[in-house]
Amino acid sequence: MPNANDDTPSALSQAQHRAVSELLRVAPVADDLARRFQEAGFSLALVGGSVRDALLGRLGNDLDFTTDARPEDVLKIVRPWADAVWEVGIAFGTVGAQKSGRVGDTDARFQIEITTYRSEAYDRTSRKPEVSYGDSIEEDLVRRDFTVNAMAVALPAKEFIDPHGGLQDLAARVLRTPGTPEESFSDDPLRMMRAARFAAQLDFEVAPEVVTAMTQMSGRIEIVSAERVRDELNKLVVSSHPRKGLTLLVDTGLAGHVLPELPALRLESDEHHRHKDVYEHTLIVLEQAIALEEDGPDLALRLAALLHDIGKPRTRRFEKDGRVSFHHHEVVGAKMTKKRMTALKYSNELVKDVSRLVELHLRFHGYGTGEWTDSAVRRYVRDAGPLLDRLHKLTRSDCTTRNKRKAAALSRAYDGLEDRIAQLQEQEQLDAIRPDLDGNQIMEILGVGPGPVVGKAYQHMLELRLENGPMEHDEAVAALKEWWSEQS
């Protein structure tokens, strides 16, 4: 590693000291692997995000290496050494491995990726990068996305390699490309989204020339597969500063290609005139939802906060009294959410959860500020199902009024709802609300076989359960027979 001198800014000196400490921590595993490559006649270097994170003092157990060995040679070296090996990325020159080792006094498990020196370029009509292998680490580093990711540490000698000034940019907290931004983004347009993602993850600024290239080339993102776009968007959304990355996507025009519903919100006035636009309101809701998270980033909650009002542009109406209304925007927004997330290849389960949260985010306000009936509470819990805790957080986050008295009143009202839910859950096991008679009992009492009538009877009994709460068995039987006689 380089030594700090009197001319080196203190930020660089501190970064170097952090890196030494971090590299010493993982040295037993990294050096052992490097020696094996050396004995086989190859070079190995820690590279990219691993070096960046070591300099930031946040290196984890995911280690990225680069080598002049071809993938088949990497496999020969790694297989006898690693606990597990996988070849999922081998078409792109990457071999994955898992290795356990000691870190100080504790056992650790390292996730390792070893990639052959390479260069990538996109055909203008292709969705997949073309991979060609290189012969030098300098050639490999120049093809990296940003200078802060274009640093390496050759092992086991610990020689620091930084041909593009990544250390200086890291100290300045700025994202630049090793070559021209236009060349970098032409090679892989996804790097434009990665700029926004790293800005959000690291709280870095993006160099002006990079922002300019992103703006001019934003349309190139459309040749990238939906799956790669989705994965970058996820990393941005669950980052520490998602507003920063989302704002960059919108301002450069990238969001118009990958999530057009978001920039569309800038054109709409919020119906309560609480913000300049619904776009700003949405970003505040996202930040408030993040503040309510208890166990780390919640992708479903954050996506719901981001998308909860996307139905407003399509439902905007100018009323005679001068107000702007967005009637049923939650229903329209849920459909739009499902369509967009499906296009981005999200899992069916996540699509279902996020669109349901968008659909339900106004349900609380529909009950007004009065006392919640038992029936209303049961229906609220039933409709939310396993999403109830997320719905609580989303609904609370959706209050962004600057009127402190109004905000306090809404908070008290929702406190009251949560209290009512807790009381009824204790009494009635609301999480598993079912009719007092199941399908088999209904068929036996009515003397009918399986068919549509059983479903109708079941639904009737469920409505009674939601409206009136639990019934004794004889009472439930009588209610079913009464319904049956009315059907006849």
Coordinates of all heavy atoms in Angstrom, one line a residue, residues 98-144:
Q98 N -16.9 -20.1 -2.2 CA -17.1 -19.8 -0.8 C -16.0 -20.4 0.0 O -15.6 -21.6 -0.3 CB -18.4 -20.4 -0.4 CG -18.8 -20.1 1.1 CD -20.2 -20.6 1.4 OE1 -21.2 -20.1 1.0 NE2 -20.3 -21.7 2.2
K99 N -15.5 -19.7 1.0 CA -14.4 -20.2 1.8 C -14.5 -19.7 3.2 O -14.7 -18.5 3.5 CB -13.0 -19.7 1.2 CG -11.8 -20.1 2.0 CD -11.5 -21.6 1.9 CE -10.2 -22.0 2.6 NZ -10.0 -23.5 2.5
S100 N -14.4 -20.7 4.2 CA -14.4 -20.3 5.6 C -13.0 -20.0 6.1 O -12.0 -20.6 5.6 CB -15.0 -21.4 6.4 OG -16.3 -21.7 6.0
G101 N -12.9 -19.1 7.0 CA -11.5 -18.8 7.5 C -11.7 -18.1 8.9 O -12.7 -17.6 9.3
R102 N -10.5 -17.9 9.5 CA -10.5 -17.2 10.8 C -10.2 -15.7 10.6 O -9.4 -15.3 9.8 CB -9.4 -17.8 11.7 CG -9.6 -19.3 12.1 CD -10.7 -19.4 13.1 NE -10.3 -18.9 14.4 CZ -11.1 -18.9 15.5 NH1 -12.3 -19.4 15.4 NH2 -10.7 -18.4 16.6
V103 N -11.0 -14.9 11.3 CA -10.7 -13.5 11.3 C -10.6 -13.1 12.8 O -11.6 -13.0 13.5 CB -11.9 -12.7 10.7 CG1 -11.7 -11.2 10.8 CG2 -12.0 -13.0 9.2
G104 N -9.4 -12.9 13.2 CA -9.1 -12.7 14.6 C -9.5 -13.9 15.4 O -8.9 -15.0 15.1
D105 N -10.4 -13.8 16.3 CA -10.8 -14.9 17.2 C -12.1 -15.5 16.7 O -12.7 -16.4 17.4 CB -10.9 -14.4 18.6 CG -9.6 -13.9 19.2 OD1 -8.5 -14.5 18.8 OD2 -9.6 -13.0 20.0
T106 N -12.6 -15.1 15.6 CA -13.9 -15.6 15.1 C -13.8 -16.3 13.8 O -12.9 -16.0 13.0 CB -14.9 -14.5 15.0 OG1 -14.5 -13.5 14.1 CG2 -15.1 -13.8 16.4
D107 N -14.8 -17.2 13.5 CA -14.9 -17.8 12.2 C -15.7 -17.0 11.3 O -16.6 -16.3 11.7 CB -15.5 -19.2 12.4 CG -14.7 -20.2 13.1 OD1 -13.5 -20.2 12.9 OD2 -15.3 -21.0 13.9
A108 N -15.3 -16.9 10.0 CA -16.0 -16.1 9.0 C -16.1 -16.9 7.8 O -15.4 -17.8 7.5 CB -15.2 -14.8 8.7
R109 N -17.1 -16.6 7.0 CA -17.4 -17.2 5.7 C -17.3 -16.2 4.6 O -18.0 -15.2 4.6 CB -18.8 -17.9 5.7 CG -19.1 -18.6 4.4 CD -20.4 -19.4 4.5 NE -20.3 -20.5 5.5 CZ -21.3 -21.2 5.9 NH1 -22.5 -21.0 5.4 NH2 -21.1 -22.2 6.8
F110 N -16.4 -16.4 3.7 CA -16.2 -15.4 2.6 C -16.8 -15.8 1.3 O -16.7 -17.0 0.9 CB -14.7 -15.2 2.4 CG -13.9 -14.6 3.5 CD1 -13.4 -15.3 4.5 CD2 -13.8 -13.2 3.6 CE1 -12.8 -14.8 5.6 CE2 -13.2 -12.6 4.7 CZ -12.6 -13.4 5.7
Q111 N -17.5 -14.9 0.7 CA -18.1 -15.1 -0.7 C -17.1 -14.4 -1.6 O -16.8 -13.2 -1.5 CB -19.5 -14.4 -0.8 CG -20.5 -14.9 0.2 CD -20.8 -16.4 0.0 OE1 -20.8 -16.9 -1.1 NE2 -21.0 -17.1 1.1
I112 N -16.6 -15.2 -2.6 CA -15.5 -14.7 -3.4 C -15.9 -14.8 -4.9 O -16.5 -15.8 -5.3 CB -14.2 -15.6 -3.1 CG1 -13.7 -15.4 -1.7 CG2 -13.1 -15.4 -4.2 CD1 -12.7 -16.4 -1.2
E113 N -15.5 -13.8 -5.6 CA -15.6 -13.8 -7.1 C -14.3 -13.5 -7.7 O -13.6 -12.5 -7.3 CB -16.7 -12.8 -7.6 CG -18.1 -13.2 -7.3 CD -19.2 -12.4 -8.0 OE1 -18.8 -11.4 -8.6 OE2 -20.3 -12.8 -8.0
I114 N -13.9 -14.3 -8.7 CA -12.6 -14.2 -9.3 C -12.9 -14.0 -10.8 O -13.5 -14.9 -11.5 CB -11.7 -15.4 -9.1 CG1 -11.5 -15.6 -7.6 CG2 -10.3 -15.2 -9.8 CD1 -11.0 -17.0 -7.3
T115 N -12.5 -12.9 -11.4 CA -12.8 -12.6 -12.8 C -11.6 -12.4 -13.6 O -10.7 -11.6 -13.2 CB -13.7 -11.3 -12.9 OG1 -14.9 -11.5 -12.1 CG2 -14.1 -11.0 -14.3
T116 N -11.5 -13.0 -14.7 CA -10.4 -12.9 -15.6 C -10.4 -11.4 -16.2 O -11.4 -10.9 -16.5 CB -10.5 -13.9 -16.8 OG1 -10.6 -15.2 -16.2 CG2 -9.3 -13.8 -17.7
Y117 N -9.1 -10.9 -16.3 CA -9.0 -9.6 -17.0 C -9.9 -9.6 -18.2 O -9.8 -10.5 -19.0 CB -7.5 -9.3 -17.4 CG -6.5 -9.3 -16.4 CD1 -5.2 -9.5 -16.7 CD2 -6.8 -9.0 -15.0 CE1 -4.2 -9.5 -15.7 CE2 -5.8 -9.0 -14.1 CZ -4.5 -9.2 -14.4 OH -3.5 -9.2 -13.5
R118 N -10.6 -8.5 -18.4 CA -11.6 -8.5 -19.5 C -11.9 -7.1 -20.0 O -11.6 -6.1 -19.3 CB -12.8 -9.2 -19.2 CG -13.6 -8.5 -18.1 CD -14.8 -9.4 -17.6 NE -15.7 -8.7 -16.7 CZ -16.7 -9.2 -16.1 NH1 -17.0 -10.5 -16.3 NH2 -17.4 -8.5 -15.2
S119 N -12.6 -7.0 -21.1 CA -13.2 -5.8 -21.6 C -14.5 -6.1 -22.1 O -14.8 -7.2 -22.6 CB -12.3 -5.2 -22.7 OG -12.2 -6.1 -23.8
E120 N -15.5 -5.2 -21.9 CA -16.8 -5.4 -22.4 C -17.3 -4.3 -23.3 O -16.9 -3.2 -23.1 CB -17.8 -5.4 -21.2 CG -17.6 -6.7 -20.3 CD -18.6 -6.6 -19.1 OE1 -19.2 -5.5 -18.9 OE2 -18.6 -7.6 -18.3
A121 N -18.1 -4.6 -24.2 CA -18.7 -3.6 -25.1 C -20.1 -4.1 -25.5 O -20.3 -5.3 -25.6 CB -17.8 -3.3 -26.3
Y122 N -21.0 -3.1 -25.7 CA -22.3 -3.5 -26.2 C -22.4 -3.2 -27.7 O -22.0 -2.2 -28.2 CB -23.3 -2.5 -25.5 CG -24.0 -3.2 -24.3 CD1 -23.4 -3.2 -23.1 CD2 -25.3 -3.7 -24.4 CE1 -24.0 -3.8 -22.0 CE2 -25.9 -4.3 -23.3 CZ -25.3 -4.3 -22.1 OH -25.9 -4.9 -21.1
D123 N -23.1 -4.2 -28.3 CA -23.6 -3.9 -29.7 C -24.8 -3.0 -29.5 O -25.6 -3.2 -28.6 CB -23.9 -5.2 -30.4 CG -24.4 -5.0 -31.8 OD1 -25.5 -4.6 -32.0 OD2 -23.6 -5.3 -32.7
R124 N -25.0 -2.1 -30.4 CA -26.1 -1.1 -30.2 C -27.5 -1.8 -30.3 O -28.5 -1.2 -29.9 CB -26.0 0.0 -31.2 CG -24.9 1.0 -30.9 CD -25.1 2.3 -31.7 NE -24.1 3.3 -31.3 CZ -24.4 4.1 -30.3 NH1 -25.5 4.1 -29.7 NH2 -23.4 5.0 -29.9
T125 N -27.5 -3.0 -30.8 CA -28.8 -3.7 -30.9 C -28.9 -4.9 -29.9 O -29.9 -5.6 -29.9 CB -29.0 -4.3 -32.3 OG1 -27.9 -5.2 -32.6 CG2 -29.0 -3.1 -33.3
S126 N -27.9 -5.1 -29.0 CA -27.8 -6.2 -28.2 C -28.1 -5.8 -26.7 O -27.8 -4.7 -26.3 CB -26.4 -6.9 -28.2 OG -26.3 -7.9 -27.2
R127 N -28.7 -6.7 -26.0 CA -29.0 -6.5 -24.6 C -27.9 -7.1 -23.7 O -28.0 -7.0 -22.5 CB -30.4 -7.2 -24.2 CG -31.6 -6.4 -24.8 CD -32.9 -7.0 -24.3 NE -34.0 -6.2 -24.7 CZ -34.5 -5.2 -24.0 NH1 -34.0 -5.0 -22.8 NH2 -35.5 -4.5 -24.4
K128 N -27.0 -7.9 -24.3 CA -26.0 -8.5 -23.5 C -24.6 -8.0 -23.9 O -24.3 -7.8 -25.0 CB -26.0 -10.0 -23.6 CG -27.3 -10.7 -23.1 CD -27.3 -12.2 -23.3 CE -28.6 -12.8 -22.7 NZ -28.6 -14.3 -22.9
P129 N -23.7 -7.8 -22.9 CA -22.3 -7.4 -23.2 C -21.5 -8.5 -23.9 O -21.7 -9.6 -23.6 CB -21.7 -7.0 -21.8 CG -22.5 -7.9 -20.9 CD -23.9 -8.0 -21.4
E130 N -20.7 -8.0 -24.8 CA -19.7 -9.0 -25.5 C -18.5 -8.9 -24.6 O -17.9 -7.9 -24.3 CB -19.4 -8.5 -26.9 CG -20.7 -8.5 -27.8 CD -20.4 -7.9 -29.1 OE1 -19.2 -7.3 -29.3 OE2 -21.3 -7.9 -30.0
V131 N -18.0 -10.1 -24.2 CA -16.8 -10.2 -23.3 C -15.6 -10.7 -24.1 O -15.7 -11.6 -24.9 CB -17.1 -11.2 -22.2 CG1 -15.9 -11.3 -21.3 CG2 -18.3 -10.7 -21.4
S132 N -14.5 -10.0 -23.9 CA -13.2 -10.4 -24.5 C -12.2 -10.3 -23.3 O -12.3 -9.4 -22.5 CB -12.8 -9.6 -25.7 OG -12.7 -8.2 -25.3
Y133 N -11.3 -11.3 -23.3 CA -10.3 -11.3 -22.2 C -9.1 -10.4 -22.5 O -8.7 -10.3 -23.6 CB -9.9 -12.7 -21.9 CG -11.0 -13.6 -21.5 CD1 -11.2 -14.8 -22.1 CD2 -11.8 -13.2 -20.4 CE1 -12.3 -15.7 -21.7 CE2 -12.9 -14.0 -20.0 CZ -13.1 -15.3 -20.6 OH -14.1 -16.1 -20.3
G134 N -8.6 -9.8 -21.4 CA -7.4 -8.9 -21.6 C -6.2 -9.6 -21.0 O -6.3 -10.7 -20.4
D135 N -5.0 -9.0 -21.1 CA -3.8 -9.6 -20.7 C -3.1 -8.8 -19.6 O -2.0 -9.2 -19.1 CB -2.8 -9.7 -21.9 CG -3.4 -10.7 -22.9 OD1 -3.8 -11.8 -22.6 OD2 -3.4 -10.3 -24.1
S136 N -3.6 -7.6 -19.2 CA -3.0 -6.8 -18.2 C -4.0 -6.2 -17.2 O -5.2 -6.0 -17.6 CB -2.2 -5.7 -18.8 OG -3.0 -4.7 -19.3
I137 N -3.6 -6.0 -16.0 CA -4.5 -5.4 -15.0 C -4.9 -4.0 -15.4 O -6.0 -3.5 -15.1 CB -4.0 -5.5 -13.6 CG1 -5.1 -5.2 -12.6 CG2 -2.8 -4.6 -13.4 CD1 -4.8 -5.6 -11.2
E138 N -4.0 -3.3 -16.0 CA -4.2 -1.9 -16.5 C -5.4 -1.9 -17.5 O -6.2 -1.0 -17.5 CB -3.0 -1.2 -17.0 CG -1.9 -0.9 -16.0 CD -1.1 -2.1 -15.5 OE1 -1.2 -3.2 -16.2 OE2 -0.5 -2.0 -14.5
E139 N -5.3 -2.8 -18.4 CA -6.4 -3.0 -19.4 C -7.7 -3.3 -18.7 O -8.8 -2.8 -19.2 CB -6.0 -4.0 -20.4 CG -7.0 -4.2 -21.6 CD -6.5 -5.3 -22.5 OE1 -5.5 -5.9 -22.3 OE2 -7.3 -5.5 -23.5
D140 N -7.7 -4.1 -17.7 CA -8.9 -4.5 -17.0 C -9.5 -3.3 -16.2 O -10.7 -3.0 -16.2 CB -8.6 -5.6 -16.0 CG -9.8 -6.0 -15.2 OD1 -10.6 -6.8 -15.8 OD2 -10.0 -5.6 -14.1
L141 N -8.6 -2.5 -15.6 CA -9.1 -1.4 -14.8 C -9.7 -0.3 -15.6 O -10.6 0.4 -15.2 CB -7.9 -0.8 -13.9 CG -7.4 -1.8 -12.8 CD1 -6.2 -1.1 -12.1 CD2 -8.5 -2.2 -11.8
V142 N -9.2 0.0 -16.8 CA -9.7 1.1 -17.6 C -11.1 0.8 -18.1 O -11.9 1.7 -18.4 CB -8.8 1.4 -18.8 CG1 -8.9 0.3 -19.9 CG2 -9.0 2.8 -19.4
R143 N -11.5 -0.5 -18.1 CA -12.9 -0.8 -18.5 C -13.9 -0.8 -17.3 O -15.1 -1.1 -17.5 CB -12.9 -2.2 -19.2 CG -12.4 -3.3 -18.3 CD -13.1 -4.7 -18.6 NE -14.5 -4.7 -18.1 CZ -14.8 -5.0 -16.9 NH1 -13.9 -5.3 -16.0 NH2 -16.1 -5.1 -16.6
R144 N -13.4 -0.5 -16.2 CA -14.3 -0.5 -15.0 C -15.2 0.8 -15.1 O -14.9 1.8 -15.7 CB -13.5 -0.5 -13.7 CG -12.6 -1.7 -13.6 CD -13.1 -2.7 -12.7 NE -12.4 -4.0 -12.8 CZ -12.8 -5.1 -12.1 NH1 -13.8 -5.0 -11.3 NH2 -12.2 -6.2 -12.3

